[in-house]
Amino acid sequence: MKKLRQINFLFVVFALLLVNCNRSKILEGTDYDQLYAVWYSNDYKDSLAETLKPSVKKALSLKNSADNRVFIDSVLNQLRWTRDSISFHKLSERAIRYAKDKSDQYALANVYNNIGMYYHDLGIMDSTYYYYIKAENVYKVLGDSMKIGKMEFYQARLLFEKGLVMESEVKVANALRILERYPLNPIPFEANQLMALCLLERQDYLAAKNYLLTALAMMKKELNKNKILDRGKLSDALMMLYYNLSEVAYFRKDYKEASDYASLGGVYKWAETTPIILSFLEVNVVKSDLMLAVKHNKQIGSKERKQIAIIEDTYTRSLEISNYFAANEMAMSAAELYITIHDSVKAFEWAEKSYQLSKERDIKVAQRTALEFLLSHQEYENKNQVKQIIELNKALEEQDYTTRNRFARIAYETEKVETENNELRNAVFLVVVTSLIIILGLSAGVFIYRLRNKNRELNFITEQKEANESIYQLILEKSTIATEVKQSITNRIAKDLHDGIVNGIFTIRFNLQQLQTENESLKNTLITELENLEKSTRGLSHSLINNELFSETKFISLIEDLTSLQKNQWDTIFNLECSDSDYLEELTAMERVHTYFIIREAIHNVNKYSKASLCTVSFKGGKEGITVRIKDNGIGFDMKAPRGGIGIQNMKERAVALGSELHVFTKINIGTEVIFKVKQTKHR
């Protein structure tokens, strides 16, 4: 036992050394641009692209080495903020290829993250989410939970920007759970605030404030220590936190507290404070003070009206730095204040600005908010009915949120199980390798033992072979008990397939049909593929229940049934040619299985692609085995063209299992022929 522990210890040390030797040189510090979701003007982006041209040219000429991958990564980190899509895609494709060739997983995850940020800056949210998921999956393979938590947070923020508040809440909760083990990471500062914003959208003001106060306590603990953030970044973060506290108080209609929080945020101003943050705080002071005046029935004069110009100015500044979410918020704030002071003309003007901006940027949540404002405050016939529709829509939306939250939590739990499975696989890998080492040691002992006792070992092997042959014969006899057990298990698998996977596919297809997306073509394609997968899975479950496919029926009869039942849109005629079926009946059960499924796959391809008028399946027996041909007179295909399916590969693997090779001959507009041989056992 002591030796076993020593072997385990040595293996662990060896594994750790191996991991250390292959670790990427890509440095993984905090990406503050990504953390705080910065925006740059188009002029800055174009200027940066011009400056980076020599570096991009150099990066594209470099060979694949660790230092060169670091350089390429550094260029991509800057190029992602430009509008030079050609250079960015060229360099990112090269970075992905280099990382994969050298199994540099950290570099690969970094590239995926950079691509995600590039699309986020362009407002292409679907692509952003896709590459964030790819980066997270790489970190899951590496077992880097801190990076997993980071990607969960960025996905949560993206979902929030798309208006999927419940899904965002689940993601950010998972990020906080993971990152609580890493106290020197700045992401929890922002994650707690994102959770508060999610709760604010659901009008859970008390819970939202508690999360913001949690973030405030963490930041104040960091104040003057600067172990996580430097003084400047921490000051900016504190100012935005006070802005969010002010927003919560404002929505609670505690305008005095809202004004106080906004004023407190200004205390943390420093020399290089981002001007837009100061504008946000100033806007909240103006909003809160104006609403306090209205609340106390004070006269609203020209001075108060001029203060609203601060909001209008912040709107303009937000547009200048391409922060369209902030611009929308400022426009609607101006509209609401103007309607409060009974200036409907100005109110509708700013609501219309918000609507047009959100329509141009495809921010549907903001579009709806602006339209609801216009419909609720303008005078027209049936105004009350429209208000009722709006209220009903909000109620239905809340119900939809509840439903989506349930599915989002299912996804969260699934991801959690997947993570646990990965950890289990790693543990199993360690056990397997350790076991292999032990087995090698035992094998060496057995080898020495066999040298000393060769005659007895030979007798034992002979007896063992005879025993194995007897066992094999018993298996082939299909005893009644074994058959019943196998049938029971197969039926249970079939039921699980039908009740579990088929229903799961239906649920995914149903929800996909409800999904609103600009790419309706891709959506319809995915729905069609899911329908096909559902039918295929259901057919498989039925086939499993009736799994005695080759038990009592002659094999040639099964092939006859297969060909006679074929029907496709080309009205292909299927013929069967077999001069002597006795050859087929001599095949073993396994040979029949492989032969049958190769023919079925070939016929499936004829139905799907060939446009043939005739397809012939023929068998020809001989001393070397049975030659099987499936030939059609269809349009053929280009063997060199890339193919997305795995049908031909599956057929080739089955042919190998038959001790043969599968050959495919095809010519455009002439047809296709699939040939393979079944080398019968008795002829081998």
Side-chain angles (χ1 to χ4, degrees), residues 585-602:
E585 304 309 320
E586 294 175 1
L587 297 177
T588 66
M590 191 55 67
E591 288 170 340
R592 294 184 189 188
V593 170
H594 289 310
T595 303
Y596 180 87
F597 282 108
I598 291 174
I599 295 171
R600 193 179 75 170
E601 180 63 28

Side-chain angles (χ1 to χ4, degrees), residues 591 594-599 602 617-620 625-630 651-652 654-656 658 660-665 673-679:
E591 288 170 340
H594 289 310
T595 303
Y596 180 87
F597 282 108
I598 291 174
I599 295 171
V617 180
S618 64
F619 298 86
K620 185 176 181 181
I626 302 169
T627 301
V628 185
R629 300 173 184 268
I630 305 94
M651 289 192 289
K652 288 183 176 181
R654 289 188 180 276
V656 171
L658 290 169
S660 179
E661 290 183 1
L662 184 123
H663 301 281
V664 180
F665 303 97
E673 185 175 18
V674 176
I675 303 174
F676 67 97
K677 282 189 176 182
V678 185
K679 299 180 180 180

Side-chain angles (χ1 to χ4, degrees), residues 183-184 189 213-229 231 234 238 241 268:
L184 297 181
F189 294 172
L213 292 176
T214 298
L216 180 61
M218 295 169 66
M219 290 186 190
K220 285 190 172 180
K221 186 178 179 181
E222 168 69 3
L223 201 62
N224 299 323
K225 294 181 180 179
N226 303 120
K227 293 182 178 180
I228 304 174
L229 293 174
R231 174 68 186 183
L234 183 59
L238 278 164
L241 176 60
Y268 295 95

Side-chain angles (χ1 to χ4, degrees), residues 51-303:
T51 303
L52 288 174
K53 279 186 176 180
S55 297
V56 172
K57 184 177 180 181
K58 176 183 176 181
L60 289 171
S61 67
L62 294 174
K63 294 183 179 180
N64 192 358
S65 69
D67 291 336
N68 288 344
R69 288 196 299 278
V70 172
F71 179 77
I72 292 172
D73 179 74
S74 68
V75 176
L76 273 177
N77 267 289
Q78 300 175 73
L79 195 61
R80 67 190 181 186
W81 298 114
T82 72
R83 296 192 295 175
D84 186 357
S85 60
I86 295 175
S87 298
F88 182 82
H89 288 304
K90 279 185 179 180
L91 192 57
S92 59
E93 287 171 5
R94 175 161 297 204
I96 290 172
R97 187 172 70 252
Y98 279 7
K100 287 183 176 180
D101 287 347
K102 297 297 184 180
S103 299
D104 192 341
Q105 298 298 309
Y106 278 100
L108 182 61
N110 225 37
V111 179
Y112 288 149
N113 185 48
N114 281 329
I115 297 174
M117 289 189 64
Y118 176 78
Y119 282 121
H120 186 244
D121 194 51
L122 294 177
I124 307 175
M125 301 304 191
D126 292 345
S127 296
T128 304
Y129 194 71
Y130 171 75
Y131 280 102
Y132 280 172
I133 289 289
K134 287 180 74 71
E136 182 183 2
N137 288 338
V138 175
Y139 289 134
K140 285 180 178 179
V141 172
L142 291 167
D144 193 330
S145 57
M146 186 176 74
K147 299 296 190 303
I148 293 170
K150 177 185 76 171
M151 298 314 302
E152 289 276 317
F153 167 70
Y154 293 139
Q155 292 166 40
R157 187 170 65 189
L158 187 67
L159 290 168
F160 181 81
E161 291 174 6
K162 289 292 287 183
L164 302 174
V165 178
M166 291 295 183
E167 291 86 340
S168 176
E169 183 182 333
V170 172
K171 284 282 186 182
V172 76
N174 194 33
L176 286 170
R177 179 183 60 81
I178 294 171
L179 293 174
E180 67 182 0
R181 302 194 296 269
Y182 302 95
L184 297 181
N185 192 302
I187 289 180
F189 294 172
E190 299 302 310
N192 276 287
Q193 294 189 74
L194 180 57
M195 178 63 84
L197 294 177
C198 291
L199 295 168
L200 183 61
E201 288 293 321
R202 293 169 51 197
Q203 300 181 1
D204 190 348
Y205 302 125
L206 181 60
K209 183 178 180 180
N210 287 336
Y211 272 98
L212 290 173
L213 292 176
T214 298
L216 180 61
M218 295 169 66
M219 290 186 190
K220 285 190 172 180
K221 186 178 179 181
E222 168 69 3
L223 201 62
N224 299 323
K225 294 181 180 179
N226 303 120
K227 293 182 178 180
I228 304 174
L229 293 174
D230 61 41
R231 174 68 186 183
K233 290 184 175 63
L234 183 59
S235 295
D236 285 350
L238 278 164
M239 292 169 74
M240 282 305 299
L241 176 60
Y242 275 109
Y243 169 77
N244 288 328
L245 281 166
S246 175
E247 283 284 278
V248 172
Y250 185 85
F251 282 111
R252 288 174 49 233
K253 298 184 179 180
D254 189 341
Y255 303 120
K256 177 66 169 60
E257 184 178 271
S259 180
D260 290 343
Y261 273 134
S263 300
L264 278 171
V267 171
Y268 295 95
K269 175 184 175 181
W270 63 298
E272 297 181 21
T273 294
T274 307
I276 196 70
I277 299 178
L278 288 172
S279 296
F280 289 161
L281 292 170
E282 199 172 357
V283 163
N284 270 24
V285 172
V286 169
K287 287 196 312 183
S288 303
D289 290 348
L290 186 59
M291 293 304 296
L292 269 175
V294 172
K295 184 177 180 180
H296 293 96
N297 298 316
K298 292 183 179 179
Q299 186 67 32
I300 304 300
S302 58
K303 178 183 177 182

Side-chain angles (χ1 to χ4, degrees), residues 5-21 430:
R5 287 198 298 269
Q6 290 173 342
I7 292 172
N8 282 330
F9 172 77
L10 289 172
F11 173 76
V12 171
V13 171
F14 173 76
L16 290 173
L17 287 172
L18 187 64
V19 170
N20 186 60
C21 291
L430 181 64

